[in-house]
Amino acid sequence: MAQRKSSKKAAPQRTASRGHNLQLEPDLLEDFYRTAVRIRTFEERVQQAFEENIIKGTAHSSVGQEAIAVATCANLRDDDFIATHHRGHGHCIAKGASIDRMMAELMGREDGYCQGLGGSMHIANLDLKILGANGIVGAAMPLGLGAALTAKMRTTDQVAVSFFGDGGANQGLFHEAMNLAAVWKLPLIFICENNQYALSTAMTSTTSVPRISDRAVAYNVPGTTVDGNDAAELFHVMRDAVDRARAGEGPSLIEALTWRWGQHSVRGGIADPRSDDDKDHWIARDPLLRLEEDLLAQKVTTKRGLTAIRKKAVEECEDAIAFGDASPEPDEETMHNSVYSPHATYDEPTSLGERELTYTQALNEAMHQEMERDESVFIMGEDIGATGGIFGTTKGLHEKFGEVRVRDTPISEPAFCGAGVGAAVAGMRPIVEVQIFDFVTLMMDMLVNQAAKFRYMMGGEPTVPLVVRGPQGGGIRLAAQHSQSLEAWFAHVPGLVVVAPSSPYDAKGLLTAAIRDDNPVVFLEHKLLYFGDAAPVPEEPYAIPLGKADIKREGSDVTIIATQAMVARALSAAQQLENEGISVEVIDPRTLRPLDEETILESVCKTNRLVVVHEAWTRGGFGSEVSAMVMEKAFDWLDAPVTRVGAPDVPMPFNDRLELAVIPSVERIVDAVRDLF
């Protein structure tokens, strides 16, 4: 296909209108009708199955919106991606999903696409390039962004489609994803299924523009509003967008005006604010009825033929109910095994050698070596390119690997983190740098609801090899919004791996392991460690096993568990206490999730006393979890209560004297140990 030249003029906005030139070929028209009938029949049978208590929980019907799914997916190849939303059954069916396995999933059965762990809102199948329906409004956009980025980086001509509703168009993600897709000219098509209502609120009450497509001009992207109930019109508009994307000309926005016939979900029970006149108007524009009229007008089939198609769809759905009913329910082993991909095992180097690196240099070398080893590894974040990042961790990567694999992003943390999730699912190994780790608060949905749960919601089959890394902690006077230690948040979430190295050697080996791991890893780098002394680090690539603690100093009287910058202070405290006749064992967990409980418990059973030290707030901090674990599993071995040393319940102050008072000191650690004796 010839490459088109990109226009530098503002992208045109237009409203498509149906005309005689938008006819469908007879075979295509009949295929459209068969698929639309299958979707309609499936949705109606799901509603009935819910009322019969065969399907529990909830589901969201797309009755009335079938033309969008059919016309969109008819333009896609098998290797093109789609990401959709809670009302996504029709998209999955149109992309080739099995009705049997979909119904089994809605019934919570093991033979469902997600082994009964995802349900209606999370149907997915990566073999079909269905990145999943999603229970979070707007989430399909950054996931599609990542899939489109993968296609562009691999120089395929695949495209990605992100479906979202009119409500999703008011999410910040819509604007961030549109902007990033336009900046990077990604082959991503945004399709807004504008059914004009949220759960019960009209779009006119929540949206500042009369047409969602009007917003495309702000990003120099073509925006088109179409009749979403006219399959022929949407098919042709979508075909233009797909051609444009495959030619490397970037994203498009299509707004498809439509109407959902039923309530927000099959659960019902909510007063429907929509008027009877509006309902009658849109039901008269039934997309299936319009397809039938075209089929009969073009003499493609007869009324008897239409009846036969509908009858076959009903039989297929009944067979699907029987398939689901015959499928076993998932067991607890399936549930537990679906959270994490297995971690690789590694042998650590037997010698560190004499060469020394700083903490920053060690991180940098790990990324250099892994990007050389594996072309699927790339990094993106704010100001990481020519400048090498504000702390220098990415220095030299841009010069060596180029702007394709070292990507400066807009200040759009949710979008580029979500793109990282989508790219990981699509087969890449992205490293997402958070410029200051406090900004991870803007990424929480992408980390907690998407990255952490993706494998689980999809039945334990996908991998999400994503690393989110950056500087956290205080000590350099950046005040309350740039100095937090938030590790306890992430250690709380099943599906995330949390790594916190304290030395140059650990930094290189753990980052290498994190990049190679098939799970999403939150990789914490303490700011003070960037400015620490150099230490021996092997030149060859090596990986430290995730979930393996390190005994930094052996002792017999008391155990100190310390993390990140607190490890050096714990070692200083141990040296001071040795002069007082107290033998201290210092353990660095290195990985906070999974936690090496065995090493900690063995040490406590030897020393009979435990102090846990971290910089984060004491209340609700990581030390609380360690304390609880030891109290539950080694209580009989303790000669004194577990002691925690952390920050008081105040945000980090700017004043230098107060900042020093908040962060645990060597003196506070020493005093905590003395109190145990």
Side-chain angles (χ1 to χ4, degrees):
M1 180 179 294
Q3 297 290 311
R4 300 177 184 173
K5 294 182 179 180
S6 299
S7 172
K8 295 183 179 180
K9 298 180 180 179
Q13 311 305 112
R14 66 188 179 94
T15 300
S17 59
R18 195 179 193 200
H20 294 296
N21 61 324
L22 297 181
Q23 296 297 315
L24 296 171
E25 294 296 324
D27 289 347
L28 189 60
L29 182 60
E30 186 169 0
D31 285 344
F32 275 30
Y33 182 69
R34 289 182 185 277
T35 304
V37 168
R38 293 177 75 230
I39 295 170
R40 172 74 58 89
T41 308
F42 180 86
E43 298 286 41
E44 291 174 342
R45 188 63 182 93
V46 166
Q47 174 75 50
Q48 181 184 346
F50 179 82
E51 294 167 356
E52 296 169 347
N53 204 34
I54 295 173
I55 291 175
K56 301 176 176 65
T58 192
H60 301 80
S61 173
S62 63
V63 168
Q65 303 181 192
E66 297 87 352
I68 301 171
V70 172
T72 297
C73 292
N75 280 286
L76 302 179
R77 300 190 314 231
D78 290 345
D79 64 341
D80 290 329
F81 298 94
I82 68 167
T84 180
H85 48 69
H86 55 273
R87 203 178 306 281
H89 299 159
H91 309 140
C92 295
I93 292 172
K95 190 65 168 66
S98 158
I99 284 179
D100 284 354
R101 294 189 64 189
M102 286 181 62
M103 192 70 80
E105 184 60 36
L106 268 66
M107 295 168 70
R109 301 307 178 93
E110 193 174 71
D111 292 325
Y113 272 114
C114 308
Q115 297 196 80
L117 299 177
S120 168
M121 289 188 286
H122 306 116
I123 300 288
N125 185 264
L126 296 186
D127 291 338
L128 297 171
K129 297 297 186 287
I130 299 173
L131 299 181
N134 210 291
I136 305 298
V137 172
M141 288 180 274
L143 297 179
L145 195 71
L149 175 59
T150 297
K152 179 156 187 171
M153 291 183 67
R154 289 179 165 172
T155 63
T156 70
D157 64 347
Q158 294 165 282
V159 303
V161 174
S162 289
F163 292 97
F164 58 100
D166 48 284
N170 292 324
Q171 291 269 316
L173 275 173
F174 167 81
H175 299 278
E176 294 189 27
M178 284 281 290
N179 180 65
L180 192 52
V183 168
W184 287 347
K185 289 193 176 298
L186 298 183
L188 178 60
I189 300 166
F190 295 82
I191 296 188
C192 177
E193 294 183 295
N194 185 354
N195 60 27
Q196 304 169 67
Y197 273 82
L199 189 147
S200 62
T201 305
M203 185 193 107
T204 53
S205 301
T206 61
T207 306
S208 63
V209 291
R211 290 285 178 262
I212 301 298
S213 63
D214 292 343
R215 292 175 169 168
V217 69
Y219 306 103
N220 197 32
V221 167
T224 307
T225 296
V226 301
D227 180 352
N229 286 16
D230 187 332
E233 179 182 332
L234 181 54
F235 174 77
H236 286 86
V237 171
M238 178 65 183
R239 185 172 61 184
D240 291 344
V242 169
D243 288 347
R244 185 174 185 273
R246 293 204 201 282
E249 296 181 11
S252 300
L253 170 62
I254 300 172
E255 176 188 21
L257 296 177
T258 187
W259 184 267
R260 57 171 166 82
W261 286 17
Q263 293 196 18
H264 172 69
S265 74
V266 298
R267 294 187 73 89
I270 299 173
D272 193 337
R274 301 175 300 176
S275 72
D276 290 339
D277 287 344
D278 281 344
K279 291 179 187 178
D280 293 342
H281 168 77
W282 281 97
I283 288 175
R285 299 168 61 81
D286 180 356
L288 267 69
L289 180 61
R290 296 167 78 170
L291 286 169
E292 289 177 0
E293 291 172 349
D294 287 347
L295 283 165
L296 295 174
Q298 295 184 39
K299 298 183 179 179
V300 177
T301 188
T302 62
K303 289 185 178 181
R304 180 177 294 179
L306 299 178
T307 299
I309 291 172
R310 292 193 293 267
K311 180 180 178 183
K312 183 177 179 180
V314 170
E315 292 171 350
E316 184 181 15
C317 285
E318 292 306 318
D319 289 344
I321 291 285
F323 175 84
D325 190 55
S327 173
E329 294 190 8
D331 56 23
E332 292 190 12
E333 183 179 3
T334 298
M335 176 179 69
H336 289 295
N337 290 342
S338 296
V339 180
Y340 288 98
S341 295
H343 301 295
T345 57
Y346 302 102
D347 293 324
E348 293 190 46
T350 56
S351 172
L352 302 186
E354 297 182 359
R355 187 196 64 149
E356 293 188 341
L357 294 179
T358 65
Y359 190 90
T360 300
Q361 290 169 335
L363 293 167
N364 184 271
E365 185 167 272
M367 287 185 280
H368 266 95
Q369 290 179 344
E370 287 307 293
M371 291 180 74
E372 284 180 331
R373 186 186 69 86
D374 186 347
E375 291 186 354
S376 69
V377 179
F378 72 100
I379 183 169
M380 58 181 165
E382 298 157 359
D383 304 305
I384 64 169
T387 63
I390 61 174
F391 292 103
T393 54
T394 58
K395 185 177 180 180
L397 292 173
H398 185 267
E399 291 80 358
K400 185 166 187 177
F401 298 103
E403 62 183 12
V404 172
R405 294 180 66 193
V406 183
R407 309 184 76 90
D408 280 318
T409 67
I411 302 175
S412 302
E413 286 86 357
F416 67 76
C417 183
V421 180
V425 171
M428 302 294 282
R429 290 188 175 273
I431 305 169
V432 172
E433 178 174 305
V434 188
Q435 192 172 67
I436 299 291
F437 221 80
D438 306 64
F439 306 161
V440 80
T441 53
L442 299 165
M443 300 177 171
M444 287 299 284
D445 175 59
M446 289 299 120
L447 284 173
V448 174
N449 282 323
Q450 306 303 328
K453 296 183 175 66
F454 196 94
R455 172 180 168 84
Y456 180 79
M457 292 189 306
M458 308 315 167
E461 292 186 4
T463 59
V464 189
L466 167 72
V467 176
V468 177
R469 51 161 292 271
Q472 77 158 19
I476 61 172
R477 297 195 65 192
L478 292 181
Q481 294 179 340
H482 285 63
S483 305
Q484 296 169 94
S485 295
L486 303 173
E487 64 269 10
W489 288 5
F490 305 106
H492 178 68
V493 180
L496 295 180
V497 174
V498 185
V499 180
S502 66
S503 70
Y505 167 79
D506 288 347
K508 178 179 174 180
L510 288 170
L511 183 53
T512 299
I515 293 169
R516 296 178 185 179
D517 200 57
D518 284 335
N519 299 287
V521 179
V522 176
F523 195 92
L524 305 170
E525 303 158 12
H526 198 287
K527 299 184 194 76
L528 286 178
L529 297 175
Y530 291 147
F531 306 104
D533 295 334
V537 176
E539 290 189 48
E540 70 275 6
Y542 63 93
I544 295 174
L546 300 177
K548 182 62 178 174
D550 187 33
I551 301 174
K552 298 296 186 184
R553 175 190 174 111
E554 294 189 353
S556 57
D557 296 329
V558 61
T559 300
I560 296 179
I561 306 296
T563 63
Q564 301 182 89
M566 294 298 103
V567 173
R569 298 188 184 190
L571 289 169
S572 295
Q575 183 63 49
Q576 182 175 329
L577 288 162
E578 184 180 28
N579 297 331
E580 302 177 18
I582 300 174
S583 176
V584 179
E585 183 151 288
V586 177
I587 297 177
D588 177 2
R590 301 196 293 194
T591 304
L592 308 185
R593 187 176 188 122
L595 180 65
D596 185 355
E597 296 184 2
E598 181 180 356
T599 297
I600 294 171
L601 291 171
E602 285 180 357
S603 179
V604 171
C605 290
K606 176 176 66 172
T607 67
N608 311 119
R609 295 173 180 86
L610 175 63
V611 175
V612 188
V613 185
H614 54 64
E615 184 178 308
W617 299 295
T618 306
R619 185 181 297 274
F622 172 72
S624 301
E625 182 61 32
V626 176
S627 175
M629 183 270 294
V630 170
M631 295 288 282
E632 291 169 0
K633 297 184 178 182
F635 179 78
D636 290 342
W637 296 92
L638 291 170
D639 290 342
V642 176
T643 296
R644 293 172 292 152
V645 180
D649 284 341
V650 296
M652 192 67 72
F654 172 71
N655 176 271
D656 56 348
R657 182 181 60 82
L658 292 177
E659 184 181 48
L660 289 173
V662 166
I663 299 173
S665 63
V666 173
E667 290 72 22
R668 283 180 60 193
I669 299 170
V670 168
D671 288 344
V673 172
R674 285 175 180 156
D675 288 345
L676 291 180
F677 292 90

